[in-house]
Amino acid sequence: MSLVGRGVEQARIRHLLTDARGERSGALGLRGAAGIGKSVLLDDAVSIAEAEGMRVVRAAGVESDSELAYGGLHQLLFPHLDRLDALPAPQARALRCAFGLSEGDDANRFLISAATLSLLADLAEDAPLLCVVDDLQWLDQGSVEALLFAARRFVADPIAVLFAVRETSVPFEIAGVEVIELPGLAAPDAARLLDDHAPQLAERLRTRVLAESLGNPLAIIELGSSRLAARDADDSDPAGQVRPLPVTRRVQEAFRHQIVALPEPTQRALLVAATDTAAPLATILHVIESLGDAAGDLAPAEHDRLVRIDSRITFRHPLVRAAAYQDAPLHRRIEVHRAYAEALHADADADRRAWHLAAATTKPDEAVAAELEGVAERAWHRGGAMAVCAAYERAGRLSADRELKARRIARASQAAFDAGKADRAARLAAEALALTADTGVRTDAIYTRGAVEYERTSPRADAELTLEAAALVRDTDPERAALTLYEAAHAARHGAAHDVLERAADLMRGLTPPEHWAPVIAALLGWAELFAGRPEAAVGPMRDLHTATPGGGHDLMQRITAGFGGLMIADDDNVAAGTADMLAVVRANGALGWVPYTLNVLAVARLLRGEFADARACVAEGASVSEELGNTTEHLAHRSVEVWLHAVSGDEARCRALAEEVLPRARDRHRVNAEIAAWGLGMLDLSARRFGDALDRLDQVCRGPASRDLLVRAVPDLVEAAVRAGLPERAHEPLAAFRHWAEHVDRPVATGLALRCRALLADDDDADALYAEALRRHEGHGGPYECARTQLVYGEWLRRRRRRIEARAHLAAAVSAFERLDARLWAERARGELAAFGERGDEPRRSGPLTLLTPQELQVVRLAATGHTNKEIAAQLFLSPRTVGHHLYKAYPKLGVTGRAELAGFVE
């Protein structure tokens, strides 16, 4: 198809289709004003794809359906539900629930997104696939999220995705997808298009049409039509005498003139069709007849090509529908909505019926509000958070009772937050608070405000608000109080707001929690004791949480609390194992919202164990998923850990650049992890032998607000920096606190680190035995990095005492370990010690093979090595099986293997 003036865009779309046929996935968005030619380009792409043997799935947004949960996905995927059995079972169940085909609570929005990806990938197994979605801005939010989630994750699948979105006053974002902005046609192309469609147009009118259309193809065609030209020939149109209307309004006005020229029964029939464009033809005709008109009244509109009638009624352009609906009198629109509500009596039509009733209701009506509450509850079971919000909010507006209104508005607020609409959530929460004194409703609304503040401002702000909510219900609703105190404690901890955590602890001490909450509350009280400098009172309940039996549906909350707590008390091995299990659970359940938090714990556990390649993989996925979810705080938390990982690898440029980007915001958003980044900068200086700089940085960390959190683990670096800088006295106070902590956590890694610190500060008579005992404690505990660090300082001590053979052995072992870990500056420092000893340090050797893999390749390799199939790996990582295969194909040559059977030796 030859389109006037769109050669560049057509070429880009052809390239996208060619790539898809070559198993290189891609997605493209077309953005522009109404009538600019987006749909025509999509039609052109479909024609090319079908001619070249590609499979096409297609959907289009409809403004009236934008609040129906997963209506867009239903339109796109429903014809292919016979393939659901090919999907992982949790994903298949979620999609069935989303489409109302089964009952249950399996339809969380992340599982639905994963199911969309899997189903599209499965369709592409038969033939290359083109997925086309027009008017994306009118799809329900759940469908948009699912489609963008899938489009961003296809890599090596024969899939092309094309979106079209209308330019609006508030831009509709297509995050992570390349977007082409469609301009108006150039003057020569606009003239050519007008001459093709209106060759007899008088020159004066031709000039006017070209000027007013601004290159918009639909405007050129419609404004240049002979009927409009004749009407405008006497210059009686006021718009032409004063100033042009905006193009979209001008075109809609042109359509309005066509509609008002039709017989009145036809105008009424068009209004019925425009009121619910997704309704079946039989329903539309029934409503037309119930209002006293006849199906034949649509014939003049069909003759004028305003609509096309087959199994449905399709408007030539959305602006035709807008003109037919918006220009009808209010009483007529209400009449039509009521007629639809009366016609839609089947259970499957309950949601549409309720929305039509709502549209026909202009004052509070509890019966209609109750029907909308039913819509919200059904949408909740389907996982459509934004649909839940819209239904609860409208139900609130129609509630006659003030308390019912407050409860519904509060629930709308929570749903808005779940849907990622923080501003709307905050506005609705404030409205609910102004409506009621009910403690339960107020608690829920304040809790939502806190969640918003966690992302907008800081975890401390969240903790302050959540404490306020907990105080309201501590004595009357222990379940709700435990939940809010859990949130307050975690937020206070992330923000290093230990004063707020102590206030939370005061409330906890007066709470009798439900049995299933008791171990969590006890552990959180342990946090408060630890941060107050009393590890002897903290360690017991914090450690007990690892073995407590989960209950009350709060398994994930218990596990994440155990994970963060375990990091604070050096239970690195238990945390790594337990959190890896938790990650498998949240992946299997599609609980994508939990993935960033779980990966945060796991990344730090692996960092502390010296498993840097795995930590990088956790950070890469955690940062990516956080960004996708709009979770800025967790995104910054992961990037802060990445600063430390760049530091340990000796990549000074990337480390400092990322720290400069992340730290100013992370200090407000996630202070604990910001301190991990600051620790990394100090450790970078230490590895590069800038001991004074290292001491200054590490001193700030070890005396800072998170110094009694897991940042206590920075103290051994501080001690080394102080000794090397000749200022050992600056380490005495932090070391005393560290030794007190290490004594009570009683873990080999903590004891080994304390022994290393003591050895660095000891006299010669004691140092030798302390170093040796530290190394013994490191054997099998603490990971290869801390062992190598102890070997390095011990080797340095031995060299200075001319114990050549022993020094050589420890320094060589340190060099080897650092190189395997890709800790380049540490390896250079150890080699420098060997050279200073009078021997040539070994030449730098290649890092361990796993360090050559990208984070995603490493994740895939680890899962493949344990026997998982590509399909199983894809389900865990929210990828397609072909993308998994692509990562394995890229990883094999880096590892020097030819197949998955050889992978086990790399990941033991």
Side-chain angles (χ1 to χ4, degrees), residues 55 83 120-129 157-159 881-882:
R55 180 177 218 149
R83 306 178 76 111
L120 290 174
D122 188 66
L123 288 170
E125 289 296 317
D126 297 342
L129 178 72
D157 297 85
I159 296 177
R882 280 181 184 259

Side-chain angles (χ1 to χ4, degrees), residues 671-733:
R671 187 58 186 261
V672 171
N673 281 36
E675 293 294 293
I676 292 176
W679 173 18
L681 291 171
M683 182 258 292
L684 177 68
D685 286 331
L686 182 61
S687 65
R689 305 182 67 87
R690 297 186 291 265
F691 300 125
D693 292 341
L695 177 58
D696 290 340
R697 288 186 186 277
L698 292 166
D699 190 62
Q700 291 180 19
V701 171
C702 295
R703 299 177 191 274
S707 59
R708 288 174 174 164
D709 202 300
L710 63 88
L711 273 302
V712 71
R713 300 286 283 270
V715 170
D717 285 350
L718 170 71
V719 172
E720 184 177 344
V723 169
R724 296 292 183 247
L727 296 166
E729 66 279 2
R730 288 180 61 178
H732 289 163
E733 183 182 340

Side-chain angles (χ1 to χ4, degrees), residues 808 815-816 819 827 831 834 840-846:
R808 174 84 172 70
V815 169
S816 178
E819 286 179 337
R831 279 194 298 271
L834 284 172
R840 180 180 62 83
D842 291 338
E843 291 298 319
R845 291 192 293 270
R846 176 175 163 172

Side-chain angles (χ1 to χ4, degrees), residues 4 185 188-203 205-211 213 217 219-225:
V4 175
L185 297 178
D189 294 322
R192 175 184 160 197
L193 181 65
L194 180 58
D195 291 343
D196 287 346
H197 284 81
Q200 306 301 320
L201 199 61
E203 185 60 29
L205 290 176
R206 180 178 180 276
T207 300
R208 180 181 173 193
V209 167
L210 290 173
S213 65
I220 291 168
I221 293 169
E222 296 301 330
L223 298 182
S225 68

Side-chain angles (χ1 to χ4, degrees), residues 873-888:
I873 297 169
Q876 286 207 36
L877 300 183
F878 306 106
L879 302 170
S880 73
R882 280 181 184 259
T883 297
V884 170
H886 170 78
H887 287 308
L888 284 174

